[in-house]
Amino acid sequence: MYFIITSLAILGSIALLAAVVLYVCSRRFAVKEDSRIAEVAALLPQANCGGCGFPGCAGMAAAMVKAADGGSIEGLSCPVADRSSMDSIASLLGMKATESKPMIATLMCRGECALRPRVVEYDGLHTCHAMHACGSGDTACSYGCLGAGDCEASCSFGGITINPDTRLPEVSPSLCTACGSCVKACPRNILQIVPRGNKSRRIYVACSNRDRGAAVVKACGVSCIGCGKCVRECKFDAITVTDNVAHIDPDKCRLCRKCEKACPRHAIVAEGFPQPKVAEDDKDKCKDSKE
């Protein structure tokens, strides 16, 4: 009996001492979190997409609080949150919300199946990363879209889907948040985050093939050949040719569409513009031709 009581006393003393040590350590080394971080995080969409460059919304909230203490939150913006949410966050931190251009993911490729014929039969893991690791995929273009849907799988908002007929991803302007997840998922870097443009109108070169002459023409029917006709046509110095591919600067472009008409390969795309009306007679001709 004496040994039992002694053992219990010793164990109780150890437990009490351990509890005291733990309590002192928890008080001494406690990390106090700024209450504003939780408040800012609550105003964020909790998508945790990483589009802001931070590990989730909590990381973004902590960065904004720290930046606010430094005097400015310029450059910190959630691509998924709407304008009112960002205004509320800025107000909470005693800052002024910075203006940011609406952005959208855009595919720099138009090589659909009918324009980019297959030259080999790929038989392997059906992901873009696997196909890219094996070479040029099943076409002669080693720069174009592989169409396996890594971008579609990466999008948390359903903003990008693979068209089964063209095997190209299509971005939904209403669902895309420009978070950049599809850009990171693409092994060929042919998805870019670009400004949506005035009234959602934009012009861009939908090609990423840096090959020359006959090789690029043979690979795709709408490839850019770097001929420079668009450069000579542009009066605003908005177009340059680098590595045999033309690039349009959205900040300089005035949306005149002259470059689109000048391109002999139809590699320049204009989106968001009103479509020309089709006369009734022309509609009948189209109907007759289908029949």
Side-chain angles (χ1 to χ4, degrees):
M1 187 67 180
Y2 170 78
F3 293 105
I4 295 175
I5 296 175
T6 303
S7 300
L8 290 174
I10 293 173
L11 290 175
S13 300
I14 293 174
L16 179 61
L17 179 61
V20 171
V21 171
L22 289 174
Y23 175 77
V24 172
C25 289
S26 66
R27 300 289 294 182
R28 179 82 172 104
F29 301 106
V31 178
K32 295 181 179 179
E33 184 178 273
D34 194 322
S35 61
R36 294 175 298 171
I37 295 178
E39 294 175 2
V40 171
L43 293 172
L44 292 170
Q46 301 302 316
N48 295 319
C49 59
C52 59
F54 295 94
C57 293
M60 174 65 169
M64 295 191 77
V65 170
K66 183 178 180 180
D69 291 339
S72 174
I73 59 172
E74 185 175 357
L76 293 175
S77 180
C78 173
V80 181
D82 54 27
R83 182 64 186 175
S84 61
S85 296
M86 294 308 298
D87 287 340
S88 299
I89 292 173
S91 177
L92 173 66
L93 298 175
M95 296 280 113
K96 183 178 180 182
T98 56
E99 294 288 341
S100 59
K101 293 181 179 179
M103 309 291 279
I104 190 171
T106 302
L107 178 70
M108 301 303 173
C109 177
R110 290 187 68 197
E112 59 183 73
C113 301
L115 301 170
R116 187 157 49 106
R118 293 185 179 184
V119 293
V120 296
E121 187 70 28
Y122 174 80
D123 185 16
L125 184 62
H126 195 66
T127 68
C128 296
H129 277 82
M131 294 174 72
H132 180 66
C134 292
S136 61
D138 52 8
T139 72
C141 181
S142 57
Y143 300 90
C145 179
L146 292 162
D150 286 19
C151 54
E152 180 180 16
S154 70
C155 184
S156 303
F157 309 97
I160 185 167
T161 54
I162 298 293
N163 186 311
D165 296 324
T166 65
R167 288 183 60 210
L168 292 178
E170 296 180 349
V171 178
S172 170
S174 60
L175 297 177
C176 177
T177 62
C179 68
S181 59
C182 59
V183 176
K184 297 175 184 176
C186 179
R188 291 193 165 174
N189 302 312
I190 56 173
L191 278 161
Q192 297 181 14
I193 302 297
V194 302
R196 286 181 179 259
N198 184 26
K199 296 181 179 179
S200 295
R201 298 175 183 177
R202 59 187 182 279
I203 298 176
Y204 58 94
V205 180
C207 182
S208 302
N209 195 318
R210 297 189 290 274
D211 291 336
R212 292 185 176 184
V216 67
V217 171
K218 184 178 180 180
C220 182
V222 287
S223 54
C224 175
I225 56 177
C227 64
K229 288 186 177 181
C230 54
V231 178
R232 294 188 290 273
E233 190 67 34
C234 183
K235 307 301 181 185
F236 309 103
D237 297 324
I239 308 177
T240 55
V241 176
T242 307
D243 294 333
N244 304 313
V245 183
H247 303 272
I248 300 177
D249 186 340
D251 293 328
K252 294 181 179 180
C253 180
R254 296 295 180 267
L255 305 177
C256 66
R257 301 183 70 177
K258 290 183 179 180
C259 59
E260 179 190 10
K261 298 175 182 178
C263 180
R265 301 284 297 165
H266 307 292
I268 297 179
V269 178
E271 291 188 356
F273 292 86
Q275 296 296 318
K277 294 183 178 180
V278 180
E280 292 298 327
D281 294 341
D282 293 334
K283 290 182 180 180
D284 294 337
K285 291 179 182 178
C286 293
K287 183 176 180 181
D288 295 337
S289 64
K290 291 181 180 180
E291 294 175 351

Short mmCIF file of all heavy atoms in Angstrom, two decimals, residues 111-176:
data_model
loop_
_atom_site.label_atom_id
_atom_site.label_comp_id
_atom_site.label_asym_id
_atom_site.label_seq_id
_atom_site.Cartn_x
_atom_site.Cartn_y
_atom_site.Cartn_z
N GLY A 111 -4.93 26.40 -83.41
CA GLY A 111 -4.72 25.18 -84.20
C GLY A 111 -5.70 24.07 -83.88
O GLY A 111 -5.32 23.06 -83.28
N GLU A 112 -6.93 24.22 -84.30
CA GLU A 112 -7.91 23.16 -84.09
C GLU A 112 -7.62 21.98 -85.01
O GLU A 112 -6.74 22.04 -85.89
CB GLU A 112 -9.32 23.69 -84.30
CG GLU A 112 -9.56 24.25 -85.69
CD GLU A 112 -10.96 24.83 -85.82
OE1 GLU A 112 -11.22 25.91 -85.26
OE2 GLU A 112 -11.79 24.17 -86.47
N CYS A 113 -8.33 20.91 -84.82
CA CYS A 113 -8.03 19.66 -85.51
C CYS A 113 -8.01 19.82 -87.03
O CYS A 113 -7.13 19.26 -87.71
CB CYS A 113 -9.07 18.60 -85.14
SG CYS A 113 -9.15 18.24 -83.38
N ALA A 114 -8.96 20.59 -87.57
CA ALA A 114 -9.05 20.73 -89.02
C ALA A 114 -7.89 21.53 -89.61
O ALA A 114 -7.59 21.42 -90.80
CB ALA A 114 -10.37 21.41 -89.38
N LEU A 115 -7.21 22.32 -88.78
CA LEU A 115 -6.14 23.17 -89.26
C LEU A 115 -4.75 22.67 -88.86
O LEU A 115 -3.74 23.17 -89.36
CB LEU A 115 -6.33 24.59 -88.72
CG LEU A 115 -7.64 25.27 -89.10
CD1 LEU A 115 -7.82 26.56 -88.31
CD2 LEU A 115 -7.67 25.57 -90.59
N ARG A 116 -4.70 21.70 -87.97
CA ARG A 116 -3.41 21.18 -87.51
C ARG A 116 -3.49 19.64 -87.54
O ARG A 116 -3.78 18.99 -86.55
CB ARG A 116 -3.14 21.69 -86.10
CG ARG A 116 -1.77 21.38 -85.55
CD ARG A 116 -1.38 22.35 -84.43
NE ARG A 116 -2.40 22.52 -83.43
CZ ARG A 116 -2.34 22.00 -82.19
NH1 ARG A 116 -1.32 21.27 -81.85
NH2 ARG A 116 -3.30 22.23 -81.32
N PRO A 117 -3.25 19.06 -88.70
CA PRO A 117 -3.44 17.62 -88.87
C PRO A 117 -2.50 16.78 -88.03
O PRO A 117 -1.38 17.19 -87.70
CB PRO A 117 -3.16 17.41 -90.37
CG PRO A 117 -2.26 18.55 -90.75
CD PRO A 117 -2.74 19.71 -89.92
N ARG A 118 -2.96 15.60 -87.68
CA ARG A 118 -2.13 14.67 -86.92
C ARG A 118 -1.08 14.04 -87.83
O ARG A 118 -1.33 13.74 -88.98
CB ARG A 118 -3.00 13.56 -86.33
CG ARG A 118 -3.96 14.02 -85.26
CD ARG A 118 -4.68 12.83 -84.66
NE ARG A 118 -5.60 13.22 -83.61
CZ ARG A 118 -6.29 12.36 -82.87
NH1 ARG A 118 -6.16 11.06 -83.08
NH2 ARG A 118 -7.11 12.78 -81.93
N VAL A 119 0.10 13.83 -87.27
CA VAL A 119 1.18 13.18 -88.01
C VAL A 119 1.61 11.87 -87.35
O VAL A 119 2.27 11.04 -87.96
CB VAL A 119 2.40 14.13 -88.14
CG1 VAL A 119 2.05 15.32 -89.01
CG2 VAL A 119 2.88 14.60 -86.77
N VAL A 120 1.24 11.71 -86.06
CA VAL A 120 1.53 10.46 -85.35
C VAL A 120 0.32 10.12 -84.49
O VAL A 120 -0.58 10.96 -84.27
CB VAL A 120 2.79 10.58 -84.44
CG1 VAL A 120 4.03 10.83 -85.27
CG2 VAL A 120 2.61 11.66 -83.40
N GLU A 121 0.29 8.92 -83.98
CA GLU A 121 -0.79 8.49 -83.10
C GLU A 121 -0.22 8.35 -81.69
O GLU A 121 0.63 7.47 -81.44
CB GLU A 121 -1.36 7.16 -83.56
CG GLU A 121 -2.60 6.72 -82.79
CD GLU A 121 -3.82 7.59 -83.09
OE1 GLU A 121 -3.92 8.14 -84.20
OE2 GLU A 121 -4.67 7.71 -82.19
N TYR A 122 -0.65 9.20 -80.79
CA TYR A 122 -0.17 9.15 -79.41
C TYR A 122 -0.98 8.12 -78.64
O TYR A 122 -2.21 8.15 -78.62
CB TYR A 122 -0.29 10.52 -78.75
CG TYR A 122 0.05 10.53 -77.27
CD1 TYR A 122 1.37 10.54 -76.84
CD2 TYR A 122 -0.97 10.50 -76.31
CE1 TYR A 122 1.69 10.52 -75.49
CE2 TYR A 122 -0.66 10.49 -74.96
CZ TYR A 122 0.67 10.50 -74.55
OH TYR A 122 0.97 10.49 -73.22
N ASP A 123 -0.28 7.23 -77.97
CA ASP A 123 -0.94 6.18 -77.18
C ASP A 123 -0.26 6.13 -75.82
O ASP A 123 0.71 5.40 -75.61
CB ASP A 123 -0.84 4.83 -77.89
CG ASP A 123 -1.62 3.74 -77.15
OD1 ASP A 123 -2.45 4.10 -76.28
OD2 ASP A 123 -1.38 2.56 -77.42
N GLY A 124 -0.76 6.93 -74.90
CA GLY A 124 -0.15 6.99 -73.58
C GLY A 124 -1.05 7.71 -72.60
O GLY A 124 -2.25 7.90 -72.86
N LEU A 125 -0.48 8.12 -71.49
CA LEU A 125 -1.24 8.84 -70.47
C LEU A 125 -1.82 10.11 -71.07
O LEU A 125 -1.09 10.93 -71.63
CB LEU A 125 -0.32 9.17 -69.29
CG LEU A 125 -0.97 9.86 -68.08
CD1 LEU A 125 -2.02 8.95 -67.46
CD2 LEU A 125 0.09 10.24 -67.06
N HIS A 126 -3.13 10.28 -70.95
CA HIS A 126 -3.80 11.39 -71.63
C HIS A 126 -3.82 12.64 -70.75
O HIS A 126 -4.85 13.08 -70.25
CB HIS A 126 -5.23 11.01 -72.01
CG HIS A 126 -5.86 11.94 -73.01
ND1 HIS A 126 -5.43 12.07 -74.30
CD2 HIS A 126 -6.90 12.81 -72.88
CE1 HIS A 126 -6.16 12.96 -74.94
NE2 HIS A 126 -7.07 13.43 -74.09
N THR A 127 -2.64 13.22 -70.57
CA THR A 127 -2.52 14.52 -69.92
C THR A 127 -1.55 15.36 -70.74
O THR A 127 -0.68 14.81 -71.44
CB THR A 127 -1.98 14.41 -68.48
OG1 THR A 127 -0.61 13.98 -68.51
CG2 THR A 127 -2.80 13.44 -67.65
N CYS A 128 -1.70 16.66 -70.66
CA CYS A 128 -0.83 17.55 -71.44
C CYS A 128 0.63 17.40 -71.02
O CYS A 128 1.53 17.42 -71.87
CB CYS A 128 -1.28 19.00 -71.28
SG CYS A 128 -2.92 19.33 -71.95
N HIS A 129 0.88 17.26 -69.73
CA HIS A 129 2.25 17.14 -69.25
C HIS A 129 2.90 15.85 -69.76
O HIS A 129 4.09 15.85 -70.13
CB HIS A 129 2.28 17.18 -67.72
CG HIS A 129 2.27 18.56 -67.15
ND1 HIS A 129 1.10 19.29 -67.00
CD2 HIS A 129 3.28 19.38 -66.75
CE1 HIS A 129 1.40 20.48 -66.49
NE2 HIS A 129 2.71 20.56 -66.35
N ALA A 130 2.15 14.77 -69.79
CA ALA A 130 2.69 13.50 -70.29
C ALA A 130 2.97 13.58 -71.78
O ALA A 130 4.02 13.14 -72.26
CB ALA A 130 1.73 12.36 -69.98
N MET A 131 2.03 14.15 -72.53
CA MET A 131 2.21 14.28 -73.98
C MET A 131 3.37 15.20 -74.31
O MET A 131 4.17 14.93 -75.22
CB MET A 131 0.92 14.80 -74.60
CG MET A 131 -0.25 13.83 -74.50
SD MET A 131 -1.82 14.54 -75.08
CE MET A 131 -1.52 14.58 -76.85
N HIS A 132 3.50 16.28 -73.57
CA HIS A 132 4.58 17.24 -73.81
C HIS A 132 5.93 16.60 -73.50
O HIS A 132 6.93 16.86 -74.20
CB HIS A 132 4.37 18.48 -72.94
CG HIS A 132 5.44 19.52 -73.12
ND1 HIS A 132 5.60 20.21 -74.30
CD2 HIS A 132 6.38 19.99 -72.27
CE1 HIS A 132 6.62 21.07 -74.17
NE2 HIS A 132 7.10 20.94 -72.95
N ALA A 133 5.98 15.77 -72.49
CA ALA A 133 7.23 15.11 -72.13
C ALA A 133 7.68 14.12 -73.20
O ALA A 133 8.87 13.84 -73.35
CB ALA A 133 7.07 14.39 -70.80
N CYS A 134 6.70 13.62 -73.96
CA CYS A 134 7.02 12.65 -75.02
C CYS A 134 7.44 13.31 -76.32
O CYS A 134 7.88 12.64 -77.25
CB CYS A 134 5.82 11.74 -75.27
SG CYS A 134 5.43 10.64 -73.90
N GLY A 135 7.25 14.62 -76.44
CA GLY A 135 7.63 15.31 -77.67
C GLY A 135 6.59 16.33 -78.08
O GLY A 135 6.08 17.09 -77.26
N SER A 136 6.24 16.32 -79.37
CA SER A 136 5.34 17.34 -79.91
C SER A 136 3.88 16.94 -79.87
O SER A 136 3.03 17.60 -80.45
CB SER A 136 5.73 17.65 -81.37
OG SER A 136 5.62 16.49 -82.17
N GLY A 137 3.57 15.82 -79.22
CA GLY A 137 2.19 15.38 -79.22
C GLY A 137 1.88 14.62 -80.49
O GLY A 137 2.75 13.94 -81.06
N ASP A 138 0.64 14.72 -80.98
CA ASP A 138 0.29 13.97 -82.19
C ASP A 138 0.25 14.84 -83.44
O ASP A 138 -0.23 14.41 -84.49
CB ASP A 138 -1.06 13.26 -82.00
CG ASP A 138 -2.15 14.20 -81.53
OD1 ASP A 138 -1.91 15.43 -81.50
OD2 ASP A 138 -3.25 13.71 -81.20
N THR A 139 0.72 16.10 -83.34
CA THR A 139 0.80 16.96 -84.50
C THR A 139 2.25 17.40 -84.71
O THR A 139 3.12 17.13 -83.89
CB THR A 139 -0.09 18.21 -84.35
OG1 THR A 139 0.50 19.10 -83.39
CG2 THR A 139 -1.49 17.83 -83.89
N ALA A 140 2.50 18.12 -85.81
CA ALA A 140 3.85 18.57 -86.12
C ALA A 140 4.22 19.85 -85.38
O ALA A 140 5.36 20.30 -85.44
CB ALA A 140 4.00 18.79 -87.63
N CYS A 141 3.25 20.46 -84.67
CA CYS A 141 3.51 21.70 -83.94
C CYS A 141 3.92 21.38 -82.51
O CYS A 141 3.12 20.84 -81.74
CB CYS A 141 2.28 22.60 -83.94
SG CYS A 141 2.54 24.16 -83.08
N SER A 142 5.14 21.72 -82.17
CA SER A 142 5.63 21.45 -80.82
C SER A 142 5.38 22.61 -79.87
O SER A 142 5.88 22.62 -78.75
CB SER A 142 7.13 21.14 -80.87
OG SER A 142 7.85 22.21 -81.46
N TYR A 143 4.60 23.60 -80.33
CA TYR A 143 4.29 24.77 -79.52
C TYR A 143 2.79 24.88 -79.22
O TYR A 143 2.39 25.58 -78.29
CB TYR A 143 4.73 26.05 -80.22
CG TYR A 143 6.20 26.13 -80.51
CD1 TYR A 143 6.72 25.65 -81.70
CD2 TYR A 143 7.09 26.68 -79.59
CE1 TYR A 143 8.08 25.72 -81.98
CE2 TYR A 143 8.45 26.76 -79.85
CZ TYR A 143 8.93 26.28 -81.05
OH TYR A 143 10.28 26.35 -81.32
N GLY A 144 1.95 24.22 -80.01
CA GLY A 144 0.51 24.40 -79.90
C GLY A 144 -0.15 23.63 -78.79
O GLY A 144 0.48 22.83 -78.07
N CYS A 145 -1.45 23.84 -78.65
CA CYS A 145 -2.24 23.20 -77.60
C CYS A 145 -2.30 21.70 -77.81
O CYS A 145 -2.51 21.22 -78.92
CB CYS A 145 -3.64 23.81 -77.59
SG CYS A 145 -4.73 23.09 -76.35
N LEU A 146 -2.15 20.96 -76.72
CA LEU A 146 -2.19 19.49 -76.77
C LEU A 146 -3.60 18.95 -76.57
O LEU A 146 -3.88 17.81 -76.90
CB LEU A 146 -1.24 18.92 -75.71
CG LEU A 146 0.24 19.18 -75.99
CD1 LEU A 146 1.06 18.98 -74.72
CD2 LEU A 146 0.76 18.28 -77.09
N GLY A 147 -4.47 19.76 -76.00
CA GLY A 147 -5.88 19.41 -75.92
C GLY A 147 -6.27 18.33 -74.94
O GLY A 147 -7.38 17.80 -75.00
N ALA A 148 -5.37 17.96 -74.02
CA ALA A 148 -5.69 16.89 -73.08
C ALA A 148 -6.47 17.38 -71.85
O ALA A 148 -6.96 16.58 -71.07
CB ALA A 148 -4.42 16.16 -72.64
N GLY A 149 -6.55 18.69 -71.67
CA GLY A 149 -7.41 19.23 -70.62
C GLY A 149 -6.80 19.44 -69.26
O GLY A 149 -7.53 19.49 -68.26
N ASP A 150 -5.49 19.58 -69.16
CA ASP A 150 -4.88 19.88 -67.85
C ASP A 150 -5.40 21.22 -67.33
O ASP A 150 -5.60 21.39 -66.12
CB ASP A 150 -3.35 19.94 -67.97
CG ASP A 150 -2.73 18.55 -68.11
OD1 ASP A 150 -3.48 17.62 -68.49
OD2 ASP A 150 -1.52 18.41 -67.87
N CYS A 151 -5.62 22.16 -68.23
CA CYS A 151 -6.12 23.48 -67.84
C CYS A 151 -7.55 23.38 -67.31
O CYS A 151 -7.91 24.02 -66.32
CB CYS A 151 -6.05 24.45 -69.03
SG CYS A 151 -6.87 23.85 -70.52
N GLU A 152 -8.36 22.58 -67.97
CA GLU A 152 -9.75 22.39 -67.53
C GLU A 152 -9.80 21.77 -66.14
O GLU A 152 -10.58 22.19 -65.28
CB GLU A 152 -10.48 21.51 -68.54
CG GLU A 152 -11.94 21.25 -68.18
CD GLU A 152 -12.64 20.37 -69.19
OE1 GLU A 152 -11.95 19.71 -70.00
OE2 GLU A 152 -13.88 20.31 -69.17
N ALA A 153 -8.95 20.78 -65.91
CA ALA A 153 -8.93 20.10 -64.61
C ALA A 153 -8.44 21.02 -63.50
O ALA A 153 -8.83 20.86 -62.34
CB ALA A 153 -8.04 18.86 -64.69
N SER A 154 -7.61 21.99 -63.84
CA SER A 154 -7.04 22.87 -62.82
C SER A 154 -7.97 23.99 -62.40
O SER A 154 -7.80 24.57 -61.32
CB SER A 154 -5.73 23.48 -63.34
OG SER A 154 -5.99 24.43 -64.36
N CYS A 155 -8.97 24.31 -63.22
CA CYS A 155 -9.84 25.45 -62.95
C CYS A 155 -10.90 25.10 -61.90
O CYS A 155 -11.69 24.17 -62.09
CB CYS A 155 -10.51 25.93 -64.23
SG CYS A 155 -11.53 27.42 -64.00
N SER A 156 -10.91 25.85 -60.82
CA SER A 156 -11.86 25.60 -59.72
C SER A 156 -13.22 26.25 -59.98
O SER A 156 -14.15 26.05 -59.20
CB SER A 156 -11.29 26.14 -58.41
OG SER A 156 -10.03 25.57 -58.12
N PHE A 157 -13.33 27.03 -61.06
CA PHE A 157 -14.54 27.81 -61.29
C PHE A 157 -15.29 27.38 -62.54
O PHE A 157 -16.29 27.99 -62.91
CB PHE A 157 -14.18 29.30 -61.40
CG PHE A 157 -13.35 29.80 -60.25
CD1 PHE A 157 -11.97 29.91 -60.36
CD2 PHE A 157 -13.93 30.13 -59.04
CE1 PHE A 157 -11.18 30.35 -59.31
CE2 PHE A 157 -13.17 30.58 -57.98
CZ PHE A 157 -11.79 30.68 -58.11
N GLY A 158 -14.81 26.35 -63.21
CA GLY A 158 -15.46 25.90 -64.44
C GLY A 158 -15.35 26.91 -65.55
O GLY A 158 -16.19 26.92 -66.47
N GLY A 159 -14.33 27.73 -65.51
CA GLY A 159 -14.19 28.81 -66.48
C GLY A 159 -13.52 28.42 -67.78
O GLY A 159 -13.44 29.24 -68.70
N ILE A 160 -13.03 27.18 -67.88
CA ILE A 160 -12.36 26.75 -69.10
C ILE A 160 -12.71 25.30 -69.38
O ILE A 160 -12.65 24.45 -68.48
CB ILE A 160 -10.84 26.97 -69.01
CG1 ILE A 160 -10.15 26.65 -70.32
CG2 ILE A 160 -10.23 26.17 -67.87
CD1 ILE A 160 -8.70 27.14 -70.37
N THR A 161 -13.11 25.01 -70.61
CA THR A 161 -13.50 23.66 -70.99
C THR A 161 -12.91 23.32 -72.35
O THR A 161 -12.67 24.20 -73.17
CB THR A 161 -15.04 23.52 -71.07
OG1 THR A 161 -15.56 24.53 -71.95
CG2 THR A 161 -15.68 23.68 -69.70
N ILE A 162 -12.68 22.04 -72.58
CA ILE A 162 -12.14 21.58 -73.86
C ILE A 162 -13.29 21.33 -74.83
O ILE A 162 -14.21 20.57 -74.53
CB ILE A 162 -11.31 20.30 -73.69
CG1 ILE A 162 -10.12 20.54 -72.77
CG2 ILE A 162 -10.84 19.79 -75.05
CD1 ILE A 162 -9.08 21.48 -73.33
N ASN A 163 -13.23 21.98 -76.00
CA ASN A 163 -14.22 21.75 -77.03
C ASN A 163 -13.93 20.39 -77.68
O ASN A 163 -12.85 20.18 -78.20
CB ASN A 163 -14.14 22.86 -78.09
CG ASN A 163 -15.24 22.76 -79.13
OD1 ASN A 163 -15.48 21.69 -79.69
ND2 ASN A 163 -15.90 23.86 -79.41
N PRO A 164 -14.87 19.45 -77.64
CA PRO A 164 -14.60 18.10 -78.16
C PRO A 164 -14.36 18.07 -79.67
O PRO A 164 -13.75 17.14 -80.17
CB PRO A 164 -15.87 17.32 -77.78
CG PRO A 164 -16.93 18.37 -77.62
CD PRO A 164 -16.24 19.58 -77.10
N ASP A 165 -14.86 19.08 -80.38
CA ASP A 165 -14.70 19.10 -81.84
C ASP A 165 -13.35 19.67 -82.25
O ASP A 165 -12.70 19.15 -83.15
CB ASP A 165 -15.83 19.91 -82.48
CG ASP A 165 -17.19 19.28 -82.24
OD1 ASP A 165 -17.27 18.03 -82.24
OD2 ASP A 165 -18.17 20.03 -82.06
N THR A 166 -12.95 20.77 -81.61
CA THR A 166 -11.69 21.42 -81.98
C THR A 166 -10.51 20.94 -81.15
O THR A 166 -9.37 21.15 -81.52
CB THR A 166 -11.81 22.94 -81.82
OG1 THR A 166 -12.02 23.26 -80.43
CG2 THR A 166 -12.97 23.49 -82.64
N ARG A 167 -10.78 20.34 -80.00
CA ARG A 167 -9.77 19.90 -79.03
C ARG A 167 -8.97 21.09 -78.50
O ARG A 167 -7.80 20.96 -78.14
CB ARG A 167 -8.83 18.86 -79.65
CG ARG A 167 -9.46 17.50 -79.88
CD ARG A 167 -8.47 16.52 -80.42
NE ARG A 167 -7.35 16.33 -79.52
CZ ARG A 167 -6.13 16.02 -79.95
NH1 ARG A 167 -5.87 15.92 -81.23
NH2 ARG A 167 -5.16 15.83 -79.08
N LEU A 168 -9.61 22.24 -78.45
CA LEU A 168 -8.98 23.44 -77.90
C LEU A 168 -9.78 23.90 -76.68
O LEU A 168 -11.01 23.77 -76.66
CB LEU A 168 -8.95 24.57 -78.94
CG LEU A 168 -8.04 24.39 -80.15
CD1 LEU A 168 -8.18 25.58 -81.09
CD2 LEU A 168 -6.59 24.22 -79.74
N PRO A 169 -9.12 24.46 -75.68
CA PRO A 169 -9.85 24.99 -74.52
C PRO A 169 -10.57 26.28 -74.87
O PRO A 169 -10.07 27.10 -75.65
CB PRO A 169 -8.74 25.24 -73.50
CG PRO A 169 -7.50 25.38 -74.29
CD PRO A 169 -7.66 24.52 -75.51
N GLU A 170 -11.76 26.44 -74.31
CA GLU A 170 -12.55 27.65 -74.51
C GLU A 170 -12.79 28.29 -73.15
O GLU A 170 -13.22 27.62 -72.21
CB GLU A 170 -13.88 27.32 -75.20
CG GLU A 170 -13.70 26.77 -76.60
CD GLU A 170 -15.03 26.45 -77.28
OE1 GLU A 170 -16.08 26.46 -76.58
OE2 GLU A 170 -15.03 26.19 -78.50
N VAL A 171 -12.50 29.58 -73.06
CA VAL A 171 -12.61 30.31 -71.80
C VAL A 171 -13.96 31.01 -71.73
O VAL A 171 -14.35 31.70 -72.67
CB VAL A 171 -11.48 31.34 -71.66
CG1 VAL A 171 -11.62 32.13 -70.36
CG2 VAL A 171 -10.12 30.66 -71.71
N SER A 172 -14.67 30.83 -70.64
CA SER A 172 -15.95 31.50 -70.43
C SER A 172 -15.71 32.86 -69.78
O SER A 172 -15.24 32.93 -68.64
CB SER A 172 -16.85 30.65 -69.53
OG SER A 172 -18.01 31.38 -69.14
N PRO A 173 -16.03 33.96 -70.49
CA PRO A 173 -15.80 35.29 -69.91
C PRO A 173 -16.55 35.52 -68.61
O PRO A 173 -16.09 36.27 -67.74
CB PRO A 173 -16.30 36.23 -71.01
CG PRO A 173 -16.22 35.43 -72.27
CD PRO A 173 -16.55 34.03 -71.86
N SER A 174 -17.70 34.89 -68.45
CA SER A 174 -18.50 35.10 -67.25
C SER A 174 -18.01 34.30 -66.05
O SER A 174 -18.28 34.67 -64.90
CB SER A 174 -19.97 34.74 -67.53
OG SER A 174 -20.09 33.37 -67.90
N LEU A 175 -17.28 33.22 -66.30
CA LEU A 175 -16.81 32.36 -65.21
C LEU A 175 -15.33 32.52 -64.90
O LEU A 175 -14.89 32.23 -63.78
CB LEU A 175 -17.10 30.89 -65.53
CG LEU A 175 -18.58 30.49 -65.67
CD1 LEU A 175 -18.70 29.03 -66.07
CD2 LEU A 175 -19.34 30.75 -64.38
N CYS A 176 -14.55 32.97 -65.86
CA CYS A 176 -13.11 33.10 -65.65
C CYS A 176 -12.82 34.23 -64.66
O CYS A 176 -13.32 35.34 -64.81
CB CYS A 176 -12.40 33.39 -66.97
SG CYS A 176 -10.61 33.64 -66.80
#
